[in-house]
């Protein structure tokens, strides 16, 4: 009985494995066997006799100890050192094998795992049989690794990077191609997850191609970025392993919007169309060489394609009145170059201002600009008295006009020296605080609600005259007395109170003097008669 000992691979002479490996890789197992039987000389002699090359197949991920092959060597492994047989596995992959008696088994002790994707399709080693350290025979060990689906598909990083797509990209065009690979070489199909955030924008026409097609127009003005979740899934395997990636697509602005004037008021919420403002300003005849300040202001437009921000050109289409108004074609600033003549009939200039894109004059917008010519305001309005006197006679009419002395209509008019006739048409009259009993018309006439008044009442009201152009105000008080039905309105101030205040009272004084004189003469006449009788 001869002893067989098993040597570790390290002890063994490295065989011509490199050459072999090179040859073997592209070939399949059958070719191998043919090649080997031609090229390899098998030494068969006792006790190493009975052996042969080993061809076997192993599944990936097989556990350690997995049976590979039974050796044909006739000698039994034993402990007889005197006449020792030594079996040695050598070669690059020798560490994957161990001998258990005459059985060749897989050594996949932790952490090693037999992985076809890492190891390649074959394990190659040599089995050498020594007797007394003399090579008796050599055998090839060729173990094919059978594939298992132990890898998931993986996206190729470069194909799922951020993408930038112009918003004007035509629907149905291919935006980009995603690609996933599977180490097991499985066929992969791609699916857009319908529950991801923006699946509606994309579709995949050919599931195996990974070509992402634009399904719906993009609009930079509403969205500048969309996201989609894409699955890559094995098709031909039982496990159908999958992986997913979120694609972020940045939308690039395209020139599809017109410029609009600011501030932009949306036609309705969410609709990206602006209603143009109307710019207005006030000038007077005195102004010239002036950059006009508008409200809302300044006159400014912006390109609807904010991502492009194309340069804009401003121009006055009409109303410029022979370059009385000039616009800066870059800034939209409007300048008054010449003063408006004093005798100018027009109160308002209406300019039509256009803005267009420098690179596309057909993308434009037009706005109205109102320039009011106000009268030069140097003087405030004034009342020629601080207090006016009014009377109202009680009657059955619901309303009556307040009169003044001599039963004349009381008209409280403020005069304005800015106007040649003293009458500023922009003055508005009001009663402060508003009274329920009186109203004032824009001609300065007071109207009383006669039905709510009581005889002998006295009201003092405050009338305010306001220049609507300049905002200047002046006020005066009106002292109104309510007279009894039938009572006469006094002709003048004196009959009421002052006896000797003015011309009227002097006249009254004269009358009184005459009356006194008459009374006196009557007394003298009576006294004279009494004296005569005596
Ligand atoms: C398997 O290989 C490892 C080294 O790779 C070695 O330490 C171990 O002893 C081997 N197991 C057997 C049973 O030979
Ligand atoms: C991906 O695989 C998981 C299980 O691993 C499964 O729940 C999911 O539905 C798969 N996705 C698709 C799109 O098939
Ligand atoms: C111009 O004057 C009018 C009154 O005539 C006034 O209502 C308006 O607020 C003024 N506008 C500006 C911009 O000053
Ligand atoms: C322009 O101004 C002139 C006076 O300078 C006036 O007679 C004419 O009516 C104005 N025209 C327009 C269109 O405003
Ligand atoms: C804008 O105005 C300047 C002078 O102010 C002129 O030279 C230029 O040609 C104008 N540009 C256009 C596009 O009208
Ligand atoms: C005060 O003004 C009125 C017109 O509002 C006028 O009739 C009256 O004569 C003026 N009185 C004086 C004293 O100027």
């Amino acid at each position: 009985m001869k002893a067989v000992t098993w040597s570790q691979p390290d002890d063994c002479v490295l065989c011509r494995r490199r050459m072999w490996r090179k040859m073997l890789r592209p070939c399949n197992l059958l070719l191998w066997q043919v090649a080997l039987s031609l090229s390899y000389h098998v030494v068969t002699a006792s006790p190493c006799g009975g052996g042969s090359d080993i061809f076997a197949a192993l599944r990936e991920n097989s556990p350690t100890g997995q049976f590979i092959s039974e050796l044909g060597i006739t000698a039994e492994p034993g402990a007889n050192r005197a006449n020792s047989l030594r079996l040695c596995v050598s070669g690059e992959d020798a560490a994957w094998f161990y001998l258990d008696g005459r059985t060749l088994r897989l050594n996949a002790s932790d952490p090693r795992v037999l992985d076809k994707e890492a190891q390649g399709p074959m394990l190659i080693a040599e089995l050498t049989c020594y007797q007394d350290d003399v090579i008796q025979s050599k055998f090839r060990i060729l173990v094919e690794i059978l594939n298992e689906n132990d890898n998931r598909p993986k996206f190729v990083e470069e194909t799922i990077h951020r993408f930038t797509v112009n918003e004007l990209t035509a629907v149905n065009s291919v935006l980009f191609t995603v690609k996933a690979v599977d180490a097991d070489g499985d066929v992969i199909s791609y699916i857009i997850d319908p529950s991801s955030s923006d699946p509606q924008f994309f579709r995949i026409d050919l599931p195996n191609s990974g070509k992402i097609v634009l399904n719906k127009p993009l609009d930079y003005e509403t969205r500048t970025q969309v996201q989609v979740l894409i699955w890559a899934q094995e098709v031909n395997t039982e496990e159908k392993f999958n992986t997913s990636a979120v694609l972020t697509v940045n939308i690039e602005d395209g020139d599809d919007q017109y410029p609009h004037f600011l501030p932009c008021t949306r036609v309705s919420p969410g609709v990206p169309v602006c209603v143009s403002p109307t710019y207005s300003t006030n000038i007077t005849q005195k102004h010239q060489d002036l950059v006009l300040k508008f409200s809302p202001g300044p006159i400014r437009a912006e390109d609807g394609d904010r991502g492009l921000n194309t340069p804009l050109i401003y121009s006055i289409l009409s109303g410029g009145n022979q370059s009385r108004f000039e616009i800066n074609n870059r800034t939209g600033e409007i300048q008054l170059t010449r003063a408006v003549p004093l005798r100018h009939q027009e109160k308002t200039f209406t300019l039509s201002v256009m803005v267009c894109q420098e690179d596309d004059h057909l993308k434009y917008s037009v706005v109205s600009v109102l320039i009011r010519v106000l009268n030069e305001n140097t003087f405030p309005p004034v009342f020629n008295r601080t207090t006016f006197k009014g009377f109202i006679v009680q009657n059955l009419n619901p309303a009556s006009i307040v009169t003044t002395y001599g039963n004349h209509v009381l008209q409280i008019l403020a005069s304005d020296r800015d106007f040649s006739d003293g009458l500023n048409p922009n003055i508005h009259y009001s009663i402060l605080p508003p009274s329920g009993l009186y109203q004032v018309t824009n001609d300065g006439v007071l109207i009383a609600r006669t039905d709510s008044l009581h005889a002998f009442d006295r009201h003092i009201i405050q009338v305010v005259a306001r220049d609507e152009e300049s905002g200047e105000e002046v006020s005066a008080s009106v002292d109104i007395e309510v007279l009894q039905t039938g009572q006469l309105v006094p002709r003048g101030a004196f009959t009421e109170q002052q006896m000797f205040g003015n011309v009227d009272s002097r006249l009254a004084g004269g009358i009184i003097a005459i009356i006194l004189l008459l009374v006196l003469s009557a007394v003298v006449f009576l006294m004279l008669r009494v004296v005569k009788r005596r």
Side-chain angles (χ1 to χ4, degrees), residues 152 191 193 231 233 240-243:
R152 295 176 164 266
I191 303 156
D193 194 318
W231 292 94
Q233 188 178 34
K240 300 241 183 298
F241 285 142
N242 65 32
T243 184

Side-chain angles (χ1 to χ4, degrees), residues 14 18 47 92 131 202 265 290 334-335 354 423 466 474 530:
L14 276 180
R18 279 204 181 84
E92 195 185 13
Q131 186 173 22
F202 308 97
T265 314
L290 173 80
I334 292 181
Q335 175 144 19
M354 181 175 89
L423 288 179
R466 179 183 158 86
V474 64
V530 171

Side-chain angles (χ1 to χ4, degrees), residues 280-282 293-295 372 374 468-469:
S280 63
T281 192
N282 296 333
K293 296 248 180 303
F294 289 91
S295 159
R372 281 193 206 90
L374 302 186
E468 294 291 336
E469 260 185 29

Side-chain angles (χ1 to χ4, degrees), residues 524-534:
V524 170
F525 174 73
L526 282 175
M527 281 173 69
L528 280 176
R529 272 192 67 170
V530 171
V531 169
K532 249 183 181 174
R533 273 197 193 163
R534 295 247 173 111

Side-chain angles (χ1 to χ4, degrees), residues 54-109:
I54 295 162
F55 303 104
L58 263 185
R59 292 202 71 80
E60 252 187 290
N61 307 311
S62 289
T64 196
Q66 175 75 39
F67 172 83
I68 297 174
S69 181
E70 206 65 53
L71 302 182
I73 293 166
T74 49
E76 283 291 328
N80 189 343
R81 288 253 158 212
N83 187 15
S84 67
L85 268 187
R86 197 155 57 88
L87 290 176
C88 165
V89 179
S90 59
E92 195 185 13
D93 300 330
W96 286 103
F97 302 103
Y98 74 92
L99 280 168
D100 172 16
R102 281 185 297 174
T103 307
L104 186 65
R105 293 187 186 274
L106 178 70
N107 178 1
S109 53

